[in-house]
Each structure stands twice: as C-alpha cells, then as structure tokens.
Amino acid sequence: HTGSLVKHASNDSVTMFTNNEFINKFGRSFNHQTDFIDVVSGDCNNIPVHVEGVQLDPIQKNVWAVFDSNWNGEIRLNYIVVLA
C-alpha cells in the first residue's frame, strides 16, 4: 500500500496513524514483528526537516513519523506499508 498524508507536527515526531486509523485503512493493527512502513517527506524542498523513519507506540499502537529536529507546521508524508 502506498499513499500520502498531510499532518500537523509540533515536535520531533508526528502521529501518522492512530491504531484506529490504521485498522480503518488497512483492516487490522500494525504488527511490528512482521509488517513494514517506510516514510519520506513529500515537502523536502520546502521545509528543513529530515524524516528519519517510523516508530510504533507499543502501548497505544500508534505509528509515528520521526524527524531529525523539531518542526511546527504542516508536513506531507509519503509512505509505503507492507503487511505480512
């Protein structure tokens, strides 16, 4: 699955998908043992933030995009999700 999201960030990370959003979009929760997500900035020419990758919140099961520095504003995230 590929796609693009626009999110409002206010720190060095932003929630790409809550657990409920992930379930609604992909049919189930993200499984950190078998699934894969990669993300890049779709706004790399306009903002000085490097997207370093994704991280799963093990308690709430939210998927976060992680940046190399703080960003306060909108960011386009282009992603690929592989469910195994």
Side-chain angles (χ1 to χ4, degrees):
H1 307 275
T2 60
S4 185
L5 303 166
V6 175
K7 294 288 184 163
H8 183 83
S10 60
N11 208 327
D12 62 353
S13 61
V14 67
T15 303
M16 286 181 61
F17 302 105
T18 65
N19 187 44
N20 285 338
E21 289 171 339
F22 198 90
I23 291 169
N24 288 337
K25 189 158 191 75
F26 303 110
R28 63 173 175 79
S29 294
F30 180 76
N31 182 337
H32 72 279
Q33 295 179 328
T34 59
D35 300 338
F36 173 80
I37 300 176
D38 199 8
V39 62
V40 297
S41 172
D43 295 322
C44 60
N45 291 331
N46 298 321
I47 63 171
V49 171
H50 179 262
V51 178
E52 303 228 314
V54 298
Q55 181 173 336
L56 176 68
D57 172 349
I59 296 170
Q60 295 182 347
K61 297 193 174 198
N62 296 334
V63 177
W64 292 80
V66 181
F67 312 141
D68 68 335
S69 59
N70 287 339
W71 177 248
N72 185 13
E74 302 294 311
I75 185 168
R76 177 173 300 283
L77 302 169
N78 298 333
Y79 64 85
I80 183 169
V81 174
V82 179
L83 304 176

